[in-house]
Short mmCIF file of all heavy atoms in Angstrom, two decimals:
data_model
loop_
_atom_site.label_atom_id
_atom_site.label_comp_id
_atom_site.label_asym_id
_atom_site.label_seq_id
_atom_site.Cartn_x
_atom_site.Cartn_y
_atom_site.Cartn_z
N ARG A 38 -89.78 73.28 -1.24
CA ARG A 38 -91.02 73.84 -0.71
C ARG A 38 -91.95 72.76 -0.14
O ARG A 38 -92.70 73.02 0.80
CB ARG A 38 -91.75 74.63 -1.80
CG ARG A 38 -91.01 75.90 -2.22
CD ARG A 38 -91.92 76.86 -2.95
NE ARG A 38 -92.93 77.43 -2.08
CZ ARG A 38 -92.74 78.49 -1.30
NH1 ARG A 38 -91.56 79.08 -1.26
NH2 ARG A 38 -93.73 78.97 -0.56
N THR A 39 -91.90 71.56 -0.73
CA THR A 39 -92.73 70.48 -0.18
C THR A 39 -92.33 70.17 1.25
O THR A 39 -93.19 70.05 2.15
CB THR A 39 -92.61 69.22 -1.03
OG1 THR A 39 -93.03 69.50 -2.37
CG2 THR A 39 -93.47 68.10 -0.47
N GLY A 40 -91.03 70.05 1.50
CA GLY A 40 -90.55 69.82 2.86
C GLY A 40 -90.90 70.96 3.78
O GLY A 40 -91.22 70.75 4.96
N TYR A 41 -90.84 72.18 3.26
CA TYR A 41 -91.18 73.36 4.05
C TYR A 41 -92.62 73.30 4.52
O TYR A 41 -92.92 73.50 5.71
CB TYR A 41 -90.94 74.63 3.23
CG TYR A 41 -91.61 75.87 3.77
CD1 TYR A 41 -91.11 76.53 4.88
CD2 TYR A 41 -92.77 76.37 3.16
CE1 TYR A 41 -91.73 77.68 5.37
CE2 TYR A 41 -93.40 77.50 3.64
CZ TYR A 41 -92.89 78.15 4.74
OH TYR A 41 -93.51 79.27 5.23
N TYR A 42 -93.53 73.02 3.60
CA TYR A 42 -94.95 73.01 3.95
C TYR A 42 -95.28 71.87 4.92
O TYR A 42 -96.09 72.04 5.82
CB TYR A 42 -95.81 72.90 2.69
CG TYR A 42 -95.91 74.20 1.93
CD1 TYR A 42 -95.43 74.31 0.63
CD2 TYR A 42 -96.50 75.32 2.52
CE1 TYR A 42 -95.52 75.50 -0.07
CE2 TYR A 42 -96.60 76.53 1.83
CZ TYR A 42 -96.11 76.60 0.54
OH TYR A 42 -96.21 77.79 -0.14
N ILE A 43 -94.67 70.72 4.72
CA ILE A 43 -94.93 69.59 5.62
C ILE A 43 -94.42 69.90 7.03
O ILE A 43 -95.14 69.72 8.02
CB ILE A 43 -94.29 68.30 5.08
CG1 ILE A 43 -94.97 67.86 3.78
CG2 ILE A 43 -94.36 67.18 6.12
CD1 ILE A 43 -94.31 66.67 3.12
N ALA A 44 -93.17 70.35 7.12
CA ALA A 44 -92.58 70.63 8.44
C ALA A 44 -93.29 71.80 9.12
O ALA A 44 -93.60 71.73 10.33
CB ALA A 44 -91.10 70.93 8.29
N LEU A 45 -93.55 72.87 8.37
CA LEU A 45 -94.21 74.02 8.97
C LEU A 45 -95.64 73.67 9.38
O LEU A 45 -96.11 74.11 10.43
CB LEU A 45 -94.22 75.20 8.00
CG LEU A 45 -94.71 76.52 8.61
CD1 LEU A 45 -93.68 77.06 9.59
CD2 LEU A 45 -95.00 77.56 7.53
N GLY A 46 -96.32 72.87 8.55
CA GLY A 46 -97.68 72.46 8.89
C GLY A 46 -97.72 71.69 10.20
O GLY A 46 -98.59 71.92 11.06
N TRP A 47 -96.77 70.76 10.37
CA TRP A 47 -96.70 69.99 11.62
C TRP A 47 -96.44 70.92 12.80
O TRP A 47 -97.08 70.81 13.84
CB TRP A 47 -95.60 68.94 11.51
CG TRP A 47 -95.39 68.18 12.79
CD1 TRP A 47 -94.61 68.54 13.86
CD2 TRP A 47 -96.02 66.96 13.17
NE1 TRP A 47 -94.68 67.61 14.87
CE2 TRP A 47 -95.55 66.62 14.47
CE3 TRP A 47 -96.91 66.09 12.53
CZ2 TRP A 47 -95.95 65.47 15.14
CZ3 TRP A 47 -97.32 64.94 13.20
CH2 TRP A 47 -96.84 64.65 14.48
N CYS A 48 -95.49 71.83 12.63
CA CYS A 48 -95.13 72.74 13.73
C CYS A 48 -96.27 73.71 14.04
O CYS A 48 -96.44 74.11 15.19
CB CYS A 48 -93.85 73.51 13.38
SG CYS A 48 -92.37 72.48 13.32
N CYS A 49 -97.04 74.10 13.03
CA CYS A 49 -98.17 74.99 13.27
C CYS A 49 -99.23 74.29 14.12
O CYS A 49 -99.76 74.87 15.07
CB CYS A 49 -98.78 75.43 11.93
SG CYS A 49 -97.81 76.66 11.04
N ILE A 50 -99.53 73.05 13.77
CA ILE A 50 -100.50 72.29 14.56
C ILE A 50 -99.98 72.10 15.99
O ILE A 50 -100.73 72.23 16.97
CB ILE A 50 -100.79 70.93 13.91
CG1 ILE A 50 -101.44 71.14 12.54
CG2 ILE A 50 -101.69 70.09 14.80
CD1 ILE A 50 -101.63 69.86 11.75
N SER A 51 -98.69 71.81 16.10
CA SER A 51 -98.10 71.58 17.42
C SER A 51 -98.17 72.82 18.29
O SER A 51 -98.50 72.74 19.49
CB SER A 51 -96.64 71.12 17.26
OG SER A 51 -96.57 69.88 16.58
N ILE A 52 -97.87 73.99 17.72
CA ILE A 52 -97.86 75.21 18.53
C ILE A 52 -99.28 75.59 18.93
O ILE A 52 -99.51 76.13 20.02
CB ILE A 52 -97.17 76.38 17.79
CG1 ILE A 52 -96.80 77.50 18.77
CG2 ILE A 52 -98.05 76.92 16.67
CD1 ILE A 52 -95.77 77.13 19.78
N VAL A 53 -100.26 75.29 18.08
CA VAL A 53 -101.66 75.56 18.44
C VAL A 53 -102.07 74.70 19.62
O VAL A 53 -102.67 75.18 20.60
CB VAL A 53 -102.59 75.31 17.23
CG1 VAL A 53 -104.05 75.29 17.68
CG2 VAL A 53 -102.40 76.37 16.16
N VAL A 54 -101.73 73.40 19.57
CA VAL A 54 -102.04 72.50 20.69
C VAL A 54 -101.33 72.95 21.95
O VAL A 54 -101.91 73.01 23.05
CB VAL A 54 -101.64 71.05 20.33
CG1 VAL A 54 -101.79 70.14 21.55
CG2 VAL A 54 -102.48 70.53 19.17
N PHE A 55 -100.05 73.30 21.81
CA PHE A 55 -99.26 73.75 22.97
C PHE A 55 -99.86 75.00 23.60
O PHE A 55 -100.02 75.07 24.83
CB PHE A 55 -97.82 74.03 22.52
CG PHE A 55 -96.97 74.66 23.59
CD1 PHE A 55 -96.33 73.87 24.54
CD2 PHE A 55 -96.80 76.03 23.65
CE1 PHE A 55 -95.55 74.45 25.54
CE2 PHE A 55 -96.03 76.62 24.62
CZ PHE A 55 -95.39 75.82 25.58
N MET A 56 -100.22 75.98 22.78
CA MET A 56 -100.74 77.24 23.31
C MET A 56 -102.10 77.05 23.98
O MET A 56 -102.36 77.61 25.05
CB MET A 56 -100.85 78.26 22.18
CG MET A 56 -99.50 78.68 21.59
SD MET A 56 -98.49 79.66 22.72
CE MET A 56 -99.21 81.28 22.48
N ILE A 57 -102.97 76.27 23.37
CA ILE A 57 -104.29 76.06 23.96
C ILE A 57 -104.18 75.36 25.30
O ILE A 57 -104.78 75.78 26.29
CB ILE A 57 -105.18 75.25 23.00
CG1 ILE A 57 -105.58 76.10 21.78
CG2 ILE A 57 -106.45 74.76 23.72
CD1 ILE A 57 -106.41 75.36 20.76
N ARG A 58 -103.38 74.29 25.35
CA ARG A 58 -103.28 73.52 26.59
C ARG A 58 -102.54 74.30 27.68
O ARG A 58 -102.78 74.07 28.87
CB ARG A 58 -102.58 72.20 26.32
CG ARG A 58 -103.41 71.26 25.44
CD ARG A 58 -102.74 69.92 25.26
NE ARG A 58 -103.59 69.01 24.50
CZ ARG A 58 -103.23 67.77 24.17
NH1 ARG A 58 -102.04 67.30 24.53
NH2 ARG A 58 -104.06 67.01 23.48
N THR A 59 -101.66 75.19 27.28
CA THR A 59 -100.93 75.98 28.28
C THR A 59 -101.73 77.18 28.75
O THR A 59 -101.89 77.40 29.96
CB THR A 59 -99.59 76.47 27.70
OG1 THR A 59 -98.79 75.34 27.31
CG2 THR A 59 -98.82 77.28 28.73
N LEU A 60 -102.27 77.95 27.82
CA LEU A 60 -102.92 79.21 28.17
C LEU A 60 -104.29 79.02 28.79
O LEU A 60 -104.74 79.89 29.55
CB LEU A 60 -103.03 80.10 26.93
CG LEU A 60 -101.72 80.62 26.36
CD1 LEU A 60 -101.98 81.49 25.14
CD2 LEU A 60 -100.96 81.42 27.41
N ARG A 61 -104.97 77.92 28.48
CA ARG A 61 -106.30 77.75 29.06
C ARG A 61 -106.22 77.63 30.58
O ARG A 61 -107.16 78.03 31.29
CB ARG A 61 -106.99 76.52 28.47
CG ARG A 61 -106.39 75.19 28.87
CD ARG A 61 -107.08 74.04 28.16
NE ARG A 61 -106.47 72.76 28.52
CZ ARG A 61 -106.85 72.02 29.56
NH1 ARG A 61 -107.83 72.45 30.33
NH2 ARG A 61 -106.26 70.88 29.83
N LEU A 62 -105.11 77.11 31.09
CA LEU A 62 -104.94 77.03 32.54
C LEU A 62 -104.71 78.40 33.15
O LEU A 62 -105.01 78.63 34.33
CB LEU A 62 -103.78 76.11 32.89
CG LEU A 62 -103.93 74.64 32.47
CD1 LEU A 62 -102.65 73.87 32.79
CD2 LEU A 62 -105.12 74.01 33.17
N LYS A 63 -104.17 79.31 32.37
CA LYS A 63 -103.89 80.66 32.85
C LYS A 63 -105.10 81.58 32.67
O LYS A 63 -105.50 82.29 33.60
CB LYS A 63 -102.70 81.24 32.09
CG LYS A 63 -101.39 80.49 32.28
CD LYS A 63 -100.84 80.68 33.67
CE LYS A 63 -99.47 80.07 33.82
NZ LYS A 63 -98.91 80.27 35.18
N ILE A 64 -105.68 81.56 31.48
CA ILE A 64 -106.77 82.48 31.17
C ILE A 64 -108.07 82.05 31.84
O ILE A 64 -108.90 82.89 32.21
CB ILE A 64 -106.96 82.58 29.64
CG1 ILE A 64 -105.70 83.21 29.01
CG2 ILE A 64 -108.19 83.40 29.28
CD1 ILE A 64 -105.76 83.34 27.51
#
């Protein structure tokens, strides 16, 4: 579970950054 939370936490932050930087150009 420790590895799960670390990996998922990193990916969650990454997807938030990705979505904001991508969608702001569209919206």
Side-chain angles (χ1 to χ4, degrees):
R38 292 198 69 84
T39 301
Y41 163 76
Y42 284 117
I43 293 175
L45 188 71
W47 176 275
C48 292
C49 285
I50 296 174
S51 297
I52 197 66
V53 168
V54 173
F55 173 84
M56 294 291 278
I57 289 177
R58 292 184 176 178
T59 300
L60 293 180
R61 70 184 178 88
L62 297 176
K63 297 289 187 179
I64 295 179

